Amino acid sequence: MKKEKNNIEFCGQTIIHDDVVRDVNERMLFDETVMALAEFFKVFGDPTRLKILYALSISEMCVCDLAALLSMSQSAISHQLKVLRQTRLIKYRKDGKVVYYSLDDDHIRHVFEQGLAHVNE
Amino acid sequence: MKKEKNNIEFCGQTIIHDDVVRDVNERMLFDETVMALAEFFKVFGDPTRLKILYALSISEMCVCDLAALLSMSQSAISHQLKVLRQTRLIKYRKDGKVVYYSLDDDHIRHVFEQGLAHVNE
DNA sequence: ATATCATATGAATACTTGTTCATATATTAT
DNA sequence: ATAATATATGAACAAGTATTCATATGATAT
């Protein structure tokens, strides 16, 4: 049996189902959690970074090679590697002048596959 | 035993390890796949959309209620719902003037949890 | 028909972001 | 030291995007 509607004003917003809103509000995620989550997914939301991650899931590579592979400037690649480093998705080791990048964690592969599964329906 | 370096120029880019680049290049994803994947993750890369998705993972809700829940304008919510609709992450049913939104698929919940698992380390 | 309410949407704006360009740093070779 | 090479980075610019504002649409009630 449907309960009757009881429209309420709250913070200038009309609430039609205050019971549902109250319930969901109590279970809502912390703002910082949502922010962190958004940042995490945002990193995967760029073709260049996805290609880099995919490439590194196959083999560690240096900046030069990644630039050649993706036909992009060394600078562009380097900037994106910085983003991936800062979000701890990749790690690196230095060997002389050359810096080798690799995935930080197999966990990343899983997220990637998860996305691929969706895209391929 | 490390193979000696054989720097090559390709499309204006220096290649240090041409064997690795060639190998990875052969296995590289199609551009359209990468694009679709980026679009998919991009949708999850916004706090407002994440909150909406999370809310809908608990209960179906109408636009009014979502606006009240997130303390945002009806218009802002409606615009984001459009994005979520177009990417087929949510579906809706109409009951008179009221439009009820819900997750399109339990699969979305899984991606969400996957992200949460990462954020919570 | 008219008013009201829930939702949708186009345009404008403010903000974010990916790439380029120029340059800096660091390591190796001469 | 000097030159060459691999990588990093700050600033500028272009392209993309989330929200607001004003308004449109569509349904219900009077």
Side-chain angles (χ1 to χ4, degrees), chain B residues 31-55:
Chain B
D31 245 59
E32 36 178 78
T33 304
V34 175
M35 291 303 184
L37 202 48
E39 290 307 316
F40 173 72
F41 283 122
K42 204 179 292 181
V43 178
F44 286 88
D46 176 79
T48 301
R49 286 192 293 265
L50 281 180
K51 285 180 189 170
I52 292 175
L53 288 173
Y54 180 74

mmCIF file with all atom_site columns, all heavy atoms in Angstrom, chain B residues 31-55:
data_model
loop_
_atom_site.group_PDB
_atom_site.id
_atom_site.type_symbol
_atom_site.label_atom_id
_atom_site.label_alt_id
_atom_site.label_comp_id
_atom_site.label_asym_id
_atom_site.label_entity_id
_atom_site.label_seq_id
_atom_site.pdbx_PDB_ins_code
_atom_site.Cartn_x
_atom_site.Cartn_y
_atom_site.Cartn_z
_atom_site.occupancy
_atom_site.B_iso_or_equiv
_atom_site.pdbx_formal_charge
_atom_site.auth_seq_id
_atom_site.auth_comp_id
_atom_site.auth_asym_id
_atom_site.auth_atom_id
_atom_site.pdbx_PDB_model_num
ATOM 1   N N   . ASP B 1 31 ? 41.618 1.781  -30.697 1.00 0.00 ? 31 ASP B N   1
ATOM 2   C CA  . ASP B 1 31 ? 41.354 3.142  -30.253 1.00 0.00 ? 31 ASP B CA  1
ATOM 3   C C   . ASP B 1 31 ? 39.918 3.322  -29.769 1.00 0.00 ? 31 ASP B C   1
ATOM 4   O O   . ASP B 1 31 ? 39.663 3.991  -28.770 1.00 0.00 ? 31 ASP B O   1
ATOM 5   C CB  . ASP B 1 31 ? 41.646 4.135  -31.389 1.00 0.00 ? 31 ASP B CB  1
ATOM 6   C CG  . ASP B 1 31 ? 42.814 5.034  -31.022 1.00 0.00 ? 31 ASP B CG  1
ATOM 7   O OD1 . ASP B 1 31 ? 43.904 4.494  -30.771 1.00 0.00 ? 31 ASP B OD1 1
ATOM 8   O OD2 . ASP B 1 31 ? 42.620 6.260  -30.969 1.00 0.00 ? 31 ASP B OD2 1
ATOM 9   N N   . GLU B 1 32 ? 38.989 2.729  -30.477 1.00 0.00 ? 32 GLU B N   1
ATOM 10  C CA  . GLU B 1 32 ? 37.596 2.894  -30.067 1.00 0.00 ? 32 GLU B CA  1
ATOM 11  C C   . GLU B 1 32 ? 37.319 2.222  -28.730 1.00 0.00 ? 32 GLU B C   1
ATOM 12  O O   . GLU B 1 32 ? 36.493 2.712  -27.949 1.00 0.00 ? 32 GLU B O   1
ATOM 13  C CB  . GLU B 1 32 ? 36.649 2.356  -31.141 1.00 0.00 ? 32 GLU B CB  1
ATOM 14  C CG  . GLU B 1 32 ? 37.145 1.120  -31.862 1.00 0.00 ? 32 GLU B CG  1
ATOM 15  C CD  . GLU B 1 32 ? 36.125 0.634  -32.884 1.00 0.00 ? 32 GLU B CD  1
ATOM 16  O OE1 . GLU B 1 32 ? 36.029 1.234  -33.984 1.00 0.00 ? 32 GLU B OE1 1
ATOM 17  O OE2 . GLU B 1 32 ? 35.457 -0.361 -32.559 1.00 0.00 ? 32 GLU B OE2 1
ATOM 18  N N   . THR B 1 33 ? 38.008 1.121  -28.491 1.00 0.00 ? 33 THR B N   1
ATOM 19  C CA  . THR B 1 33 ? 37.853 0.463  -27.194 1.00 0.00 ? 33 THR B CA  1
ATOM 20  C C   . THR B 1 33 ? 38.353 1.368  -26.078 1.00 0.00 ? 33 THR B C   1
ATOM 21  O O   . THR B 1 33 ? 37.693 1.530  -25.047 1.00 0.00 ? 33 THR B O   1
ATOM 22  C CB  . THR B 1 33 ? 38.646 -0.860 -27.152 1.00 0.00 ? 33 THR B CB  1
ATOM 23  O OG1 . THR B 1 33 ? 38.227 -1.686 -28.229 1.00 0.00 ? 33 THR B OG1 1
ATOM 24  C CG2 . THR B 1 33 ? 38.434 -1.579 -25.837 1.00 0.00 ? 33 THR B CG2 1
ATOM 25  N N   . VAL B 1 34 ? 39.519 1.953  -26.296 1.00 0.00 ? 34 VAL B N   1
ATOM 26  C CA  . VAL B 1 34 ? 40.097 2.850  -25.292 1.00 0.00 ? 34 VAL B CA  1
ATOM 27  C C   . VAL B 1 34 ? 39.177 4.037  -25.049 1.00 0.00 ? 34 VAL B C   1
ATOM 28  O O   . VAL B 1 34 ? 38.948 4.444  -23.909 1.00 0.00 ? 34 VAL B O   1
ATOM 29  C CB  . VAL B 1 34 ? 41.486 3.350  -25.743 1.00 0.00 ? 34 VAL B CB  1
ATOM 30  C CG1 . VAL B 1 34 ? 42.028 4.377  -24.759 1.00 0.00 ? 34 VAL B CG1 1
ATOM 31  C CG2 . VAL B 1 34 ? 42.447 2.189  -25.859 1.00 0.00 ? 34 VAL B CG2 1
ATOM 32  N N   . MET B 1 35 ? 38.651 4.583  -26.142 1.00 0.00 ? 35 MET B N   1
ATOM 33  C CA  . MET B 1 35 ? 37.748 5.730  -26.017 1.00 0.00 ? 35 MET B CA  1
ATOM 34  C C   . MET B 1 35 ? 36.518 5.371  -25.189 1.00 0.00 ? 35 MET B C   1
ATOM 35  O O   . MET B 1 35 ? 36.126 6.089  -24.273 1.00 0.00 ? 35 MET B O   1
ATOM 36  C CB  . MET B 1 35 ? 37.295 6.215  -27.405 1.00 0.00 ? 35 MET B CB  1
ATOM 37  C CG  . MET B 1 35 ? 38.399 6.855  -28.223 1.00 0.00 ? 35 MET B CG  1
ATOM 38  S SD  . MET B 1 35 ? 39.169 8.259  -27.358 1.00 0.00 ? 35 MET B SD  1
ATOM 39  C CE  . MET B 1 35 ? 40.304 8.836  -28.630 1.00 0.00 ? 35 MET B CE  1
ATOM 40  N N   . ALA B 1 36 ? 35.897 4.244  -25.520 1.00 0.00 ? 36 ALA B N   1
ATOM 41  C CA  . ALA B 1 36 ? 34.701 3.802  -24.810 1.00 0.00 ? 36 ALA B CA  1
ATOM 42  C C   . ALA B 1 36 ? 35.005 3.586  -23.330 1.00 0.00 ? 36 ALA B C   1
ATOM 43  O O   . ALA B 1 36 ? 34.217 3.951  -22.453 1.00 0.00 ? 36 ALA B O   1
ATOM 44  C CB  . ALA B 1 36 ? 34.168 2.517  -25.426 1.00 0.00 ? 36 ALA B CB  1
ATOM 45  N N   . LEU B 1 37 ? 36.160 3.023  -23.082 1.00 0.00 ? 37 LEU B N   1
ATOM 46  C CA  . LEU B 1 37 ? 36.586 2.756  -21.711 1.00 0.00 ? 37 LEU B CA  1
ATOM 47  C C   . LEU B 1 37 ? 36.777 4.061  -20.946 1.00 0.00 ? 37 LEU B C   1
ATOM 48  O O   . LEU B 1 37 ? 36.328 4.200  -19.799 1.00 0.00 ? 37 LEU B O   1
ATOM 49  C CB  . LEU B 1 37 ? 37.893 1.962  -21.751 1.00 0.00 ? 37 LEU B CB  1
ATOM 50  C CG  . LEU B 1 37 ? 38.295 1.143  -20.541 1.00 0.00 ? 37 LEU B CG  1
ATOM 51  C CD1 . LEU B 1 37 ? 37.157 0.287  -20.041 1.00 0.00 ? 37 LEU B CD1 1
ATOM 52  C CD2 . LEU B 1 37 ? 39.505 0.287  -20.888 1.00 0.00 ? 37 LEU B CD2 1
ATOM 53  N N   . ALA B 1 38 ? 37.410 5.026  -21.591 1.00 0.00 ? 38 ALA B N   1
ATOM 54  C CA  . ALA B 1 38 ? 37.629 6.330  -20.959 1.00 0.00 ? 38 ALA B CA  1
ATOM 55  C C   . ALA B 1 38 ? 36.301 6.996  -20.646 1.00 0.00 ? 38 ALA B C   1
ATOM 56  O O   . ALA B 1 38 ? 36.102 7.525  -19.546 1.00 0.00 ? 38 ALA B O   1
ATOM 57  C CB  . ALA B 1 38 ? 38.471 7.223  -21.866 1.00 0.00 ? 38 ALA B CB  1
ATOM 58  N N   . GLU B 1 39 ? 35.379 6.947  -21.581 1.00 0.00 ? 39 GLU B N   1
ATOM 59  C CA  . GLU B 1 39 ? 34.054 7.539  -21.366 1.00 0.00 ? 39 GLU B CA  1
ATOM 60  C C   . GLU B 1 39 ? 33.362 6.885  -20.174 1.00 0.00 ? 39 GLU B C   1
ATOM 61  O O   . GLU B 1 39 ? 32.747 7.556  -19.359 1.00 0.00 ? 39 GLU B O   1
ATOM 62  C CB  . GLU B 1 39 ? 33.183 7.369  -22.622 1.00 0.00 ? 39 GLU B CB  1
ATOM 63  C CG  . GLU B 1 39 ? 33.613 8.217  -23.807 1.00 0.00 ? 39 GLU B CG  1
ATOM 64  C CD  . GLU B 1 39 ? 33.749 9.694  -23.471 1.00 0.00 ? 39 GLU B CD  1
ATOM 65  O OE1 . GLU B 1 39 ? 32.862 10.217 -22.776 1.00 0.00 ? 39 GLU B OE1 1
ATOM 66  O OE2 . GLU B 1 39 ? 34.748 10.307 -23.877 1.00 0.00 ? 39 GLU B OE2 1
ATOM 67  N N   . PHE B 1 40 ? 33.484 5.590  -20.119 1.00 0.00 ? 40 PHE B N   1
ATOM 68  C CA  . PHE B 1 40 ? 32.860 4.839  -19.025 1.00 0.00 ? 40 PHE B CA  1
ATOM 69  C C   . PHE B 1 40 ? 33.386 5.303  -17.665 1.00 0.00 ? 40 PHE B C   1
ATOM 70  O O   . PHE B 1 40 ? 32.617 5.657  -16.769 1.00 0.00 ? 40 PHE B O   1
ATOM 71  C CB  . PHE B 1 40 ? 33.121 3.349  -19.217 1.00 0.00 ? 40 PHE B CB  1
ATOM 72  C CG  . PHE B 1 40 ? 32.663 2.496  -18.076 1.00 0.00 ? 40 PHE B CG  1
ATOM 73  C CD1 . PHE B 1 40 ? 31.312 2.283  -17.843 1.00 0.00 ? 40 PHE B CD1 1
ATOM 74  C CD2 . PHE B 1 40 ? 33.588 1.915  -17.232 1.00 0.00 ? 40 PHE B CD2 1
ATOM 75  C CE1 . PHE B 1 40 ? 30.886 1.498  -16.778 1.00 0.00 ? 40 PHE B CE1 1
ATOM 76  C CE2 . PHE B 1 40 ? 33.171 1.121  -16.171 1.00 0.00 ? 40 PHE B CE2 1
ATOM 77  C CZ  . PHE B 1 40 ? 31.818 0.913  -15.943 1.00 0.00 ? 40 PHE B CZ  1
ATOM 78  N N   . PHE B 1 41 ? 34.693 5.329  -17.527 1.00 0.00 ? 41 PHE B N   1
ATOM 79  C CA  . PHE B 1 41 ? 35.284 5.724  -16.244 1.00 0.00 ? 41 PHE B CA  1
ATOM 80  C C   . PHE B 1 41 ? 35.052 7.197  -15.947 1.00 0.00 ? 41 PHE B C   1
ATOM 81  O O   . PHE B 1 41 ? 34.914 7.603  -14.796 1.00 0.00 ? 41 PHE B O   1
ATOM 82  C CB  . PHE B 1 41 ? 36.780 5.415  -16.234 1.00 0.00 ? 41 PHE B CB  1
ATOM 83  C CG  . PHE B 1 41 ? 37.106 3.973  -16.017 1.00 0.00 ? 41 PHE B CG  1
ATOM 84  C CD1 . PHE B 1 41 ? 37.857 3.260  -16.944 1.00 0.00 ? 41 PHE B CD1 1
ATOM 85  C CD2 . PHE B 1 41 ? 36.665 3.314  -14.867 1.00 0.00 ? 41 PHE B CD2 1
ATOM 86  C CE1 . PHE B 1 41 ? 38.161 1.918  -16.743 1.00 0.00 ? 41 PHE B CE1 1
ATOM 87  C CE2 . PHE B 1 41 ? 36.962 1.968  -14.660 1.00 0.00 ? 41 PHE B CE2 1
ATOM 88  C CZ  . PHE B 1 41 ? 37.718 1.275  -15.593 1.00 0.00 ? 41 PHE B CZ  1
ATOM 89  N N   . LYS B 1 42 ? 35.025 8.014  -16.990 1.00 0.00 ? 42 LYS B N   1
ATOM 90  C CA  . LYS B 1 42 ? 34.852 9.450  -16.807 1.00 0.00 ? 42 LYS B CA  1
ATOM 91  C C   . LYS B 1 42 ? 33.542 9.753  -16.071 1.00 0.00 ? 42 LYS B C   1
ATOM 92  O O   . LYS B 1 42 ? 33.474 10.651 -15.243 1.00 0.00 ? 42 LYS B O   1
ATOM 93  C CB  . LYS B 1 42 ? 34.862 10.147 -18.179 1.00 0.00 ? 42 LYS B CB  1
ATOM 94  C CG  . LYS B 1 42 ? 35.248 11.599 -18.127 1.00 0.00 ? 42 LYS B CG  1
ATOM 95  C CD  . LYS B 1 42 ? 35.269 12.218 -19.517 1.00 0.00 ? 42 LYS B CD  1
ATOM 96  C CE  . LYS B 1 42 ? 36.385 11.668 -20.396 1.00 0.00 ? 42 LYS B CE  1
ATOM 97  N NZ  . LYS B 1 42 ? 36.405 12.294 -21.742 1.00 0.00 ? 42 LYS B NZ  1
ATOM 98  N N   . VAL B 1 43 ? 32.529 8.964  -16.386 1.00 0.00 ? 43 VAL B N   1
ATOM 99  C CA  . VAL B 1 43 ? 31.231 9.172  -15.750 1.00 0.00 ? 43 VAL B CA  1
ATOM 100 C C   . VAL B 1 43 ? 31.322 8.971  -14.241 1.00 0.00 ? 43 VAL B C   1
ATOM 101 O O   . VAL B 1 43 ? 30.667 9.661  -13.462 1.00 0.00 ? 43 VAL B O   1
ATOM 102 C CB  . VAL B 1 43 ? 30.179 8.219  -16.344 1.00 0.00 ? 43 VAL B CB  1
ATOM 103 C CG1 . VAL B 1 43 ? 28.841 8.399  -15.645 1.00 0.00 ? 43 VAL B CG1 1
ATOM 104 C CG2 . VAL B 1 43 ? 30.035 8.471  -17.833 1.00 0.00 ? 43 VAL B CG2 1
ATOM 105 N N   . PHE B 1 44 ? 32.177 8.050  -13.831 1.00 0.00 ? 44 PHE B N   1
ATOM 106 C CA  . PHE B 1 44 ? 32.358 7.789  -12.400 1.00 0.00 ? 44 PHE B CA  1
ATOM 107 C C   . PHE B 1 44 ? 33.287 8.807  -11.749 1.00 0.00 ? 44 PHE B C   1
ATOM 108 O O   . PHE B 1 44 ? 33.472 8.789  -10.541 1.00 0.00 ? 44 PHE B O   1
ATOM 109 C CB  . PHE B 1 44 ? 32.930 6.383  -12.183 1.00 0.00 ? 44 PHE B CB  1
ATOM 110 C CG  . PHE B 1 44 ? 31.932 5.287  -12.397 1.00 0.00 ? 44 PHE B CG  1
ATOM 111 C CD1 . PHE B 1 44 ? 31.736 4.745  -13.657 1.00 0.00 ? 44 PHE B CD1 1
ATOM 112 C CD2 . PHE B 1 44 ? 31.191 4.798  -11.331 1.00 0.00 ? 44 PHE B CD2 1
ATOM 113 C CE1 . PHE B 1 44 ? 30.813 3.732  -13.855 1.00 0.00 ? 44 PHE B CE1 1
ATOM 114 C CE2 . PHE B 1 44 ? 30.283 3.786  -11.523 1.00 0.00 ? 44 PHE B CE2 1
ATOM 115 C CZ  . PHE B 1 44 ? 30.082 3.248  -12.784 1.00 0.00 ? 44 PHE B CZ  1
ATOM 116 N N   . GLY B 1 45 ? 33.875 9.652  -12.541 1.00 0.00 ? 45 GLY B N   1
ATOM 117 C CA  . GLY B 1 45 ? 34.888 10.574 -12.033 1.00 0.00 ? 45 GLY B CA  1
ATOM 118 C C   . GLY B 1 45 ? 34.335 11.904 -11.555 1.00 0.00 ? 45 GLY B C   1
ATOM 119 O O   . GLY B 1 45 ? 35.050 12.891 -11.540 1.00 0.00 ? 45 GLY B O   1
ATOM 120 N N   . ASP B 1 46 ? 33.075 11.930 -11.184 1.00 0.00 ? 46 ASP B N   1
ATOM 121 C CA  . ASP B 1 46 ? 32.480 13.169 -10.685 1.00 0.00 ? 46 ASP B CA  1
ATOM 122 C C   . ASP B 1 46 ? 31.711 12.906 -9.390  1.00 0.00 ? 46 ASP B C   1
ATOM 123 O O   . ASP B 1 46 ? 30.873 12.000 -9.328  1.00 0.00 ? 46 ASP B O   1
ATOM 124 C CB  . ASP B 1 46 ? 31.535 13.748 -11.746 1.00 0.00 ? 46 ASP B CB  1
ATOM 125 C CG  . ASP B 1 46 ? 30.813 14.976 -11.236 1.00 0.00 ? 46 ASP B CG  1
ATOM 126 O OD1 . ASP B 1 46 ? 31.418 16.052 -11.212 1.00 0.00 ? 46 ASP B OD1 1
ATOM 127 O OD2 . ASP B 1 46 ? 29.633 14.838 -10.829 1.00 0.00 ? 46 ASP B OD2 1
ATOM 128 N N   . PRO B 1 47 ? 31.975 13.678 -8.351  1.00 0.00 ? 47 PRO B N   1
ATOM 129 C CA  . PRO B 1 47 ? 31.374 13.475 -7.033  1.00 0.00 ? 47 PRO B CA  1
ATOM 130 C C   . PRO B 1 47 ? 29.841 13.453 -7.068  1.00 0.00 ? 47 PRO B C   1
ATOM 131 O O   . PRO B 1 47 ? 29.225 12.595 -6.437  1.00 0.00 ? 47 PRO B O   1
ATOM 132 C CB  . PRO B 1 47 ? 31.857 14.680 -6.226  1.00 0.00 ? 47 PRO B CB  1
ATOM 133 C CG  . PRO B 1 47 ? 33.106 15.107 -6.892  1.00 0.00 ? 47 PRO B CG  1
ATOM 134 C CD  . PRO B 1 47 ? 32.900 14.832 -8.356  1.00 0.00 ? 47 PRO B CD  1
ATOM 135 N N   . THR B 1 48 ? 29.267 14.391 -7.804  1.00 0.00 ? 48 THR B N   1
ATOM 136 C CA  . THR B 1 48 ? 27.800 14.452 -7.872  1.00 0.00 ? 48 THR B CA  1
ATOM 137 C C   . THR B 1 48 ? 27.225 13.171 -8.454  1.00 0.00 ? 48 THR B C   1
ATOM 138 O O   . THR B 1 48 ? 26.294 12.582 -7.913  1.00 0.00 ? 48 THR B O   1
ATOM 139 C CB  . THR B 1 48 ? 27.346 15.648 -8.729  1.00 0.00 ? 48 THR B CB  1
ATOM 140 O OG1 . THR B 1 48 ? 27.845 16.848 -8.155  1.00 0.00 ? 48 THR B OG1 1
ATOM 141 C CG2 . THR B 1 48 ? 25.831 15.709 -8.806  1.00 0.00 ? 48 THR B CG2 1
ATOM 142 N N   . ARG B 1 49 ? 27.799 12.733 -9.576  1.00 0.00 ? 49 ARG B N   1
ATOM 143 C CA  . ARG B 1 49 ? 27.288 11.509 -10.205 1.00 0.00 ? 49 ARG B CA  1
ATOM 144 C C   . ARG B 1 49 ? 27.508 10.297 -9.308  1.00 0.00 ? 49 ARG B C   1
ATOM 145 O O   . ARG B 1 49 ? 26.656 9.405  -9.212  1.00 0.00 ? 49 ARG B O   1
ATOM 146 C CB  . ARG B 1 49 ? 27.956 11.305 -11.569 1.00 0.00 ? 49 ARG B CB  1
ATOM 147 C CG  . ARG B 1 49 ? 27.435 12.259 -12.630 1.00 0.00 ? 49 ARG B CG  1
ATOM 148 C CD  . ARG B 1 49 ? 27.878 11.859 -14.017 1.00 0.00 ? 49 ARG B CD  1
ATOM 149 N NE  . ARG B 1 49 ? 29.306 11.974 -14.231 1.00 0.00 ? 49 ARG B NE  1
ATOM 150 C CZ  . ARG B 1 49 ? 29.894 13.046 -14.769 1.00 0.00 ? 49 ARG B CZ  1
ATOM 151 N NH1 . ARG B 1 49 ? 29.187 14.074 -15.146 1.00 0.00 ? 49 ARG B NH1 1
ATOM 152 N NH2 . ARG B 1 49 ? 31.192 13.075 -14.922 1.00 0.00 ? 49 ARG B NH2 1
ATOM 153 N N   . LEU B 1 50 ? 28.650 10.262 -8.605  1.00 0.00 ? 50 LEU B N   1
ATOM 154 C CA  . LEU B 1 50 ? 28.902 9.146  -7.694  1.00 0.00 ? 50 LEU B CA  1
ATOM 155 C C   . LEU B 1 50 ? 27.854 9.105  -6.595  1.00 0.00 ? 50 LEU B C   1
ATOM 156 O O   . LEU B 1 50 ? 27.330 8.045  -6.256  1.00 0.00 ? 50 LEU B O   1
ATOM 157 C CB  . LEU B 1 50 ? 30.297 9.277  -7.070  1.00 0.00 ? 50 LEU B CB  1
ATOM 158 C CG  . LEU B 1 50 ? 31.483 8.859  -7.933  1.00 0.00 ? 50 LEU B CG  1
ATOM 159 C CD1 . LEU B 1 50 ? 32.782 9.050  -7.169  1.00 0.00 ? 50 LEU B CD1 1
ATOM 160 C CD2 . LEU B 1 50 ? 31.342 7.403  -8.364  1.00 0.00 ? 50 LEU B CD2 1
ATOM 161 N N   . LYS B 1 51 ? 27.531 10.269 -6.045  1.00 0.00 ? 51 LYS B N   1
ATOM 162 C CA  . LYS B 1 51 ? 26.529 10.315 -4.981  1.00 0.00 ? 51 LYS B CA  1
ATOM 163 C C   . LYS B 1 51 ? 25.170 9.855  -5.498  1.00 0.00 ? 51 LYS B C   1
ATOM 164 O O   . LYS B 1 51 ? 24.451 9.123  -4.818  1.00 0.00 ? 51 LYS B O   1
ATOM 165 C CB  . LYS B 1 51 ? 26.419 11.736 -4.416  1.00 0.00 ? 51 LYS B CB  1
ATOM 166 C CG  . LYS B 1 51 ? 27.580 12.133 -3.526  1.00 0.00 ? 51 LYS B CG  1
ATOM 167 C CD  . LYS B 1 51 ? 27.388 13.561 -3.020  1.00 0.00 ? 51 LYS B CD  1
ATOM 168 C CE  . LYS B 1 51 ? 28.639 14.065 -2.313  1.00 0.00 ? 51 LYS B CE  1
ATOM 169 N NZ  . LYS B 1 51 ? 28.561 15.526 -2.037  1.00 0.00 ? 51 LYS B NZ  1
ATOM 170 N N   . ILE B 1 52 ? 24.834 10.297 -6.689  1.00 0.00 ? 52 ILE B N   1
ATOM 171 C CA  . ILE B 1 52 ? 23.560 9.875  -7.283  1.00 0.00 ? 52 ILE B CA  1
ATOM 172 C C   . ILE B 1 52 ? 23.543 8.361  -7.453  1.00 0.00 ? 52 ILE B C   1
ATOM 173 O O   . ILE B 1 52 ? 22.583 7.680  -7.068  1.00 0.00 ? 52 ILE B O   1
ATOM 174 C CB  . ILE B 1 52 ? 23.334 10.562 -8.651  1.00 0.00 ? 52 ILE B CB  1
ATOM 175 C CG1 . ILE B 1 52 ? 23.095 12.064 -8.467  1.00 0.00 ? 52 ILE B CG1 1
ATOM 176 C CG2 . ILE B 1 52 ? 22.144 9.922  -9.374  1.00 0.00 ? 52 ILE B CG2 1
ATOM 177 C CD1 . ILE B 1 52 ? 22.983 12.850 -9.762  1.00 0.00 ? 52 ILE B CD1 1
ATOM 178 N N   . LEU B 1 53 ? 24.619 7.824  -8.017  1.00 0.00 ? 53 LEU B N   1
ATOM 179 C CA  . LEU B 1 53 ? 24.687 6.379  -8.237  1.00 0.00 ? 53 LEU B CA  1
ATOM 180 C C   . LEU B 1 53 ? 24.602 5.624  -6.920  1.00 0.00 ? 53 LEU B C   1
ATOM 181 O O   . LEU B 1 53 ? 23.906 4.612  -6.810  1.00 0.00 ? 53 LEU B O   1
ATOM 182 C CB  . LEU B 1 53 ? 25.984 6.016  -8.977  1.00 0.00 ? 53 LEU B CB  1
ATOM 183 C CG  . LEU B 1 53 ? 26.038 6.424  -10.456 1.00 0.00 ? 53 LEU B CG  1
ATOM 184 C CD1 . LEU B 1 53 ? 27.425 6.172  -11.032 1.00 0.00 ? 53 LEU B CD1 1
ATOM 185 C CD2 . LEU B 1 53 ? 24.983 5.670  -11.263 1.00 0.00 ? 53 LEU B CD2 1
ATOM 186 N N   . TYR B 1 54 ? 25.312 6.136  -5.923  1.00 0.00 ? 54 TYR B N   1
ATOM 187 C CA  . TYR B 1 54 ? 25.285 5.474  -4.623  1.00 0.00 ? 54 TYR B CA  1
ATOM 188 C C   . TYR B 1 54 ? 23.884 5.509  -4.027  1.00 0.00 ? 54 TYR B C   1
ATOM 189 O O   . TYR B 1 54 ? 23.379 4.504  -3.520  1.00 0.00 ? 54 TYR B O   1
ATOM 190 C CB  . TYR B 1 54 ? 26.281 6.126  -3.667  1.00 0.00 ? 54 TYR B CB  1
ATOM 191 C CG  . TYR B 1 54 ? 26.312 5.486  -2.310  1.00 0.00 ? 54 TYR B CG  1
ATOM 192 C CD1 . TYR B 1 54 ? 26.911 4.243  -2.130  1.00 0.00 ? 54 TYR B CD1 1
ATOM 193 C CD2 . TYR B 1 54 ? 25.731 6.108  -1.208  1.00 0.00 ? 54 TYR B CD2 1
ATOM 194 C CE1 . TYR B 1 54 ? 26.932 3.641  -0.884  1.00 0.00 ? 54 TYR B CE1 1
ATOM 195 C CE2 . TYR B 1 54 ? 25.743 5.510  0.046   1.00 0.00 ? 54 TYR B CE2 1
ATOM 196 C CZ  . TYR B 1 54 ? 26.351 4.279  0.193   1.00 0.00 ? 54 TYR B CZ  1
ATOM 197 O OH  . TYR B 1 54 ? 26.367 3.674  1.429   1.00 0.00 ? 54 TYR B OH  1
ATOM 198 N N   . ALA B 1 55 ? 23.251 6.672  -4.107  1.00 0.00 ? 55 ALA B N   1
ATOM 199 C CA  . ALA B 1 55 ? 21.888 6.815  -3.575  1.00 0.00 ? 55 ALA B CA  1
ATOM 200 C C   . ALA B 1 55 ? 20.948 5.833  -4.269  1.00 0.00 ? 55 ALA B C   1
ATOM 201 O O   . ALA B 1 55 ? 20.163 5.142  -3.618  1.00 0.00 ? 55 ALA B O   1
ATOM 202 C CB  . ALA B 1 55 ? 21.402 8.249  -3.764  1.00 0.00 ? 55 ALA B CB  1
#
